[in-house]
Amino acid sequence: MIVELRTASTQGAEPASGSMYHRLREELVAMSRIREHDGVAEVLRLMTPWLPTAQDLLEATGSPSDRERWRRLVEEAQKADRSDFVAVSTAARILLRALLEASRPGPSVEEIADRLRRGIADGAYPPGSVLSRVRILRDVGLTKASESRADRAFQDLVAEGLITISLSKRVQVAGQGELPDQLALTTELLRALVVGGVYPPMSSLPTRPKLSQALATEKSITTRALRQLHDEGFLSVHRSAGSVVRPVAPVPVSAPPALEVLVGRLRSAASSGAPLTPADIRANCRSARAWWRQRSAPPAESLRRMRQVLVATAADLLPLAACRHPDDPSVHAVLRRTAVVALYDWPAELRIEVWRLACLATAVLEVLDLAGGAA
């Protein structure tokens, strides 16, 4: 923390040599050795010279939660009952430990809060996304020992209505977690599956619950997307018969693409790497789906790597699943859907890419199960 502080001296008017951090550690060790029979005076001898430093921090901070914390610590140290050794020594140790943490390098509470505000404003932390304490500490260059700074920055943002903190201490950006155009995106992807020949004319789409799971979308949104495609002339949607692709669509529809062609395109789009075990594949898919479920905002490079891994995994699994189910149209529809989702134009917006990765991860898990022991 870059603040000009008055440092304590237990020897006289001039500060003792050595850094503030090491001096505080030494005095905390010395304070831990003081026993009640030594008296309150010995505790005060170590604590009192540090009160001006704490007062400096109180006056310098621009964080409301940090200011309140230093005000409380100074007040408790000054007003502790001088006849009560336990009360005085407890207040003194808490104050010196807080000063010890403040002497560590790294951004202040105010600086952390400002960085989070900017991230929320520019969309790096979208509405509904979960803020990982581990990631925040890493991004701002703090260690676990200074986690309390991030917690106080979170408290400032809660007071401003920018984030919420649950009883389980889950930190989440305020606002709706769904994409504002989730219906349009879901409809577009479904339309691409029909036009791309994944579901040929006169074939039935999966049930709405299964489609909702495949598209990582609420059932209500899936229902509205199906109804929109019905209105556009792509589907016939009936409550009892489900959704069926109409024999004549309003635009040209491709014939079901050959799996060999799709696998070749997947291999061209994927980066080379060592084959993954089924356990590795499931772990990757769980991570990708968790990003969307928690509305996280992972770094762009992490998204790129995950996409490459899932595309390569799909390229490896599709031939295995096809060999196990050579004549099953419903299985081949799953395989074609997986390939089309993997190959369809990837969006530039981070939140949409997180959603699309969840769709791809769900498809890859289905294909892994269809490949069975062959995987």
Side-chain angles (χ1 to χ4, degrees):
M1 300 175 68
I2 307 173
V3 180
E4 291 295 327
L5 300 175
R6 290 173 282 172
T7 54
S9 171
T10 58
Q11 303 298 323
E14 295 299 321
S17 61
S19 72
M20 176 177 169
Y21 178 82
H22 288 99
R23 289 177 54 215
L24 281 162
R25 288 196 62 176
E26 291 170 359
E27 301 211 340
L28 277 166
V29 171
M31 193 173 291
S32 70
R33 294 171 178 163
I34 298 174
R35 297 294 178 262
E36 189 167 357
H37 61 77
D38 296 318
V40 169
E42 186 64 15
V43 176
L44 294 175
R45 183 185 70 81
L46 294 175
M47 177 191 73
T48 303
W50 290 102
L51 285 172
T53 306
Q55 188 66 37
D56 285 344
L57 288 166
L58 167 61
E59 296 170 359
T61 182
S63 159
S65 63
D66 205 31
R67 188 182 308 115
E68 173 59 23
R69 174 175 178 259
W70 286 115
R71 184 202 62 75
R72 178 173 43 79
L73 291 174
V74 170
E75 183 177 286
E76 289 175 354
Q78 290 174 331
K79 294 184 177 181
D81 185 354
R82 297 303 191 253
S83 65
D84 188 336
F85 173 81
V86 173
V88 173
S89 59
T90 298
R93 282 196 297 273
I94 292 174
L95 178 67
L96 265 60
R97 285 171 184 157
L99 288 167
L100 182 71
E101 191 283 317
S103 69
R104 291 189 173 97
S108 66
V109 174
E110 184 179 9
E111 291 167 335
I112 297 170
D114 282 343
R115 180 163 181 169
L116 291 173
R117 286 189 196 95
R118 290 195 299 271
I120 292 171
D122 64 21
Y125 305 121
S129 62
V130 175
L131 296 181
S132 162
R133 281 178 169 81
V134 173
R135 179 183 170 189
I136 297 300
L137 291 175
R138 183 183 67 242
D139 288 351
V140 302
L142 289 176
T143 64
K144 182 76 172 175
S146 295
E147 183 176 9
S148 61
R149 291 188 206 175
D151 287 335
R152 294 195 295 282
F154 290 151
Q155 291 169 21
D156 287 345
L157 299 187
V158 168
E160 297 170 20
L162 293 177
I163 66 172
T164 61
I165 302 179
S166 68
L167 293 176
S168 62
K169 296 186 177 181
R170 183 186 186 190
V171 183
Q172 193 166 13
V173 179
Q176 294 297 317
E178 294 297 332
L179 296 169
D181 49 357
Q182 182 76 58
L183 174 59
L185 292 167
T186 303
T187 305
E188 178 187 354
L189 186 53
L190 268 176
R191 189 186 298 113
L193 295 176
V194 173
V195 173
V198 172
Y199 302 113
M202 302 302 294
S203 67
S204 296
L205 271 64
T207 63
R208 294 182 198 190
K210 288 184 177 180
L211 263 184
S212 298
Q213 182 179 13
L215 300 174
T217 304
E218 296 290 333
K219 292 179 184 177
S220 60
I221 294 177
T222 302
T223 298
R224 291 168 63 192
L226 290 170
R227 177 56 58 182
Q228 184 166 328
L229 292 181
H230 171 91
D231 295 341
E232 293 176 8
F234 286 98
L235 303 176
S236 293
V237 178
H238 303 284
R239 182 166 303 204
S240 58
S243 303
V244 178
V245 180
R246 289 183 178 175
V248 180
V251 299
V253 174
S254 301
L259 287 176
E260 296 81 2
V261 174
L262 292 175
V263 170
R265 292 179 60 195
L266 287 171
R267 294 198 189 284
S268 297
S271 58
S272 59
L276 300 177
T277 66
D280 293 332
I281 295 170
R282 293 187 188 279
N284 285 327
C285 292
R286 281 196 300 270
S287 296
R289 296 172 73 184
W291 285 342
W292 173 242
R293 185 174 60 253
Q294 298 171 2
R295 304 305 190 260
S296 299
E301 180 59 23
S302 297
L303 286 172
R304 188 193 66 80
R305 286 198 303 268
M306 180 64 77
R307 186 175 72 203
Q308 288 288 322
V309 167
L310 291 179
V311 171
T313 302
D316 291 337
L317 291 178
L318 257 64
L320 301 177
C323 285
R324 293 197 74 210
H325 307 273
D327 302 314
D328 190 328
S330 63
V331 169
H332 282 233
V334 171
L335 304 185
R336 289 193 296 266
R337 170 168 57 84
T338 303
V340 170
V341 169
L343 295 168
Y344 193 58
D345 291 340
W346 283 89
E349 186 178 338
L350 182 144
R351 282 197 295 163
I352 301 177
E353 185 173 4
V354 172
W355 168 65
R356 286 282 304 282
L357 274 175
C359 296
L360 179 54
T362 301
V364 168
L365 282 174
E366 285 186 76
V367 177
L368 177 63
D369 289 337
L370 291 170

